[in-house]
Amino acid sequence: MLIQGCEILGFDPEHNSTPYRGDIRLEGALIAEIGDGLAPKAGETVLDGLGKLVTPGLVNAHLHSQEALFKGRYDNLPLELWMLYAYPILNAQRISPELIYLRTMLVGMEALRNGVTTVVDDVIELPAQSMDQLDAVFRAYDDLGIRANVSGHIINRPFVDTVPFGRHAVPAEVSAQVDAIELVTEAEYLDYSIEAFSRFHGRSGRLRYVLAPSGPQRVTEPLLIKMAELARVQDAQYHIHVLETKMQAETGKILYGRTLVEYLSDIGVLDKHTTLAHSIWVSDEDMRILGEAGASVAHNPIANSKLGAGIAPFRKLLDFGVNVALGSDGLCNGSARMFDVIRMAALLHKVTTPNFEEWPSAEEVLSAATLGGARSCLLEESIGSIEVGKAADLVIYDLNTIPFTPRNDIRNHLVYSEDGSSIDRVFVNGEIVFESGALTKVDQSAMLEEFRDLAAHALRNHGDIEKANAVFHQPFVDIHEWASSQPSSVNRYSTPPVDWNDYGRGSPLYHV
């Protein structure tokens, strides 16, 4: 295909974020030529680019597709309390591969329709993920035509040991039930991952397996180290949740006597393969460590706001040389739409300082959603910008739409006005996967109907599971209140500690 006379926002080394007019030739899965006045070749489809904008596909650098079941279910719960219900400690039901396939489709379809060509799906199955469950995720993304990095998420420590005073706050008889849950061993997970690499890594030229320790406090140290070693051998992503909440900041002090970032650095698992999801409650020293290690941070501004986790230090992360990507996180916030995330990232950080020179620019936010995401996925040589030899993961926008009318700075329109409604076509690996308002490889209506039928049964069962896990609610409220009351050199809330530190002083743990 030859796209003629379009506006191009390429994020390439020559133009960076400056739009320019030109032609783009696609051959197979790749961008073959970029120029001005390119002549069509014999048998080449010519697309008139007049009134069109072409950009790299967006990258959702942190996503949990399993939360598709819980869209619209919870509100006003901080992360650790919300997890009790969305990720139940007791009596978790095993989700069938059929339902997993359909819930993955639900999330992937929304992603493609919103201009996302690459997702990093950190899939959590409790108490453990089977190979047929993982296969269902890969099959869905393969059938959909999207590019995806898919994890085998692992927790191999009892959950009551992953939060401060868990054994003290949770009744002994309940802790005994937690201890009775059989957890995956280090050897079992490594064998599982080696098989997953052989079965899925590189499938269709678009799909990759990701090693995903849940968090430093949720995975044993030997496994954290062995997973990092395996990631280097396979040149695979190492995806881990770090310092998402103030409770996690306090957890590092109690479990390791240092921050969680310092702990990860000391055991040698931080490098270019590492993406830290969230990293809100990081100190300046943490950010220095991450920048020097070449690690990435997946910033999730909407989910962090929905769960009251705090405001990540976007500008400081960039200043310390940390690669910043953007993600939707799970569907606790209602959707995986990346234009919502982009707009939130651009707006949220403008209210953290009166120094407007430090506010995120449209170019920086769009770069995080494209090149930053590509770098976090270890795919910066293949995607994230429009360059000859890179994969043809492209989004074409119709500029004759309400979001682009009247037309001023295209970058500002993309960040503050566009909602995905202007998207005309989406390409992944040179293949059109969305065109004229419809997905080209799957029947969306049929998928949604089938998903609704299966999800209704699963949600009925989940209601009973929520009741069983309510036994943890008050103990975790006590721990949350205690963590909130602790003095800290870092504050990532929008108000100073003097406004909220009294909140936790009623916790029975306050004087423990």
Side-chain angles (χ1 to χ4, degrees), residues 177-189:
Q177 293 180 60
V178 176
D179 291 337
I181 299 171
E182 187 174 348
L183 298 173
V184 176
T185 68
E186 295 163 6
E188 286 171 339
Y189 180 77

Side-chain angles (χ1 to χ4, degrees), residues 210-511:
V210 173
L211 293 155
S214 182
Q217 73 279 23
R218 302 183 194 130
V219 176
T220 56
E221 184 173 310
L223 186 54
L224 286 170
I225 294 170
K226 290 174 184 176
M227 290 172 72
E229 293 170 349
L230 183 57
R232 292 165 190 148
V233 169
Q234 296 286 347
D235 194 24
Q237 192 176 7
Y238 184 89
H239 199 85
I240 183 168
H241 295 71
V242 182
L243 289 171
E244 184 174 357
T245 64
K246 190 171 191 302
M247 189 189 295
Q248 292 179 17
E250 298 305 321
T251 300
K253 298 175 189 177
I254 288 180
L255 293 187
Y256 308 111
R258 58 205 135 153
T259 73
L260 294 177
V261 169
E262 290 171 335
Y263 167 66
L264 291 174
S265 177
D266 288 345
I267 65 173
V269 303
L270 297 178
D271 60 23
K272 70 174 185 176
H273 298 86
T274 313
T275 294
L276 284 69
H278 306 292
S279 294
I280 298 169
W281 290 81
V282 284
S283 66
D284 284 4
E285 177 63 12
D286 291 336
M287 289 183 273
R288 183 194 66 77
I289 290 170
L290 295 176
E292 291 182 358
S296 297
V297 165
H299 175 38
N300 308 277
I302 294 181
N304 296 158
S305 299
K306 179 68 158 55
L307 296 171
I311 303 172
F314 183 87
R315 172 60 58 206
K316 273 196 169 185
L317 285 165
L318 294 177
D319 288 346
F320 276 101
V322 181
N323 176 62
V324 177
L326 295 181
S328 67
D329 202 6
L331 274 71
C332 59
N333 52 285
S335 84
R337 291 187 300 269
M338 280 300 289
F339 279 109
D340 295 350
V341 173
I342 288 168
R343 186 175 302 109
M344 184 69 163
L347 294 173
L348 177 64
H349 303 289
K350 297 186 196 308
V351 298
T352 59
T353 174
N355 184 355
F356 57 89
E357 293 182 353
E358 293 187 356
W359 295 352
S361 67
E363 297 95 315
E364 287 175 318
V365 175
L366 290 170
S367 180
T370 52
L371 276 173
R375 168 67 187 83
S376 76
C377 296
L378 305 177
L379 293 173
E380 68 270 26
E381 299 300 321
S382 303
I383 63 169
S385 61
I386 299 177
E387 299 181 62
V388 172
K390 282 198 168 185
D393 288 15
L394 305 172
V395 181
I396 301 181
Y397 301 84
D398 182 355
L399 294 176
N400 298 310
T401 58
I402 290 176
F404 289 97
T405 304
R407 195 179 312 162
N408 290 289
D409 189 318
I410 284 176
R411 296 161 296 190
N412 289 339
H413 284 280
L414 283 170
V415 171
Y416 299 109
S417 304
E418 179 55 38
D419 58 2
S421 61
S422 303
I423 294 175
D424 179 65
R425 290 177 176 86
V426 177
F427 294 77
V428 178
N429 249 17
E431 183 178 16
I432 297 175
V433 292
F434 178 78
E435 183 175 24
S436 301
L439 299 163
T440 64
K441 296 174 70 67
V442 297
D443 184 335
Q444 176 174 305
S445 295
M447 291 286 177
L448 290 176
E449 183 177 358
E450 192 174 355
F451 176 75
R452 279 190 288 264
D453 290 342
L454 287 179
H457 175 72
L459 288 172
R460 283 193 295 271
N461 291 340
H462 191 75
D464 294 333
I465 294 170
E466 289 170 330
K467 293 175 184 177
N469 283 271
V471 67
F472 295 99
H473 189 98
Q474 189 57 51
F476 273 56
V477 168
D478 295 341
I479 298 170
H480 171 77
E481 290 182 352
W482 169 84
S484 300
S485 72
Q486 296 306 295
S488 174
S489 60
V490 172
N491 176 34
R492 300 300 180 208
Y493 290 127
S494 63
T495 56
V498 67
D499 288 354
W500 46 265
N501 261 353
D502 283 345
Y503 162 72
R505 294 183 181 179
S507 169
L509 298 173
Y510 184 69
H511 296 291

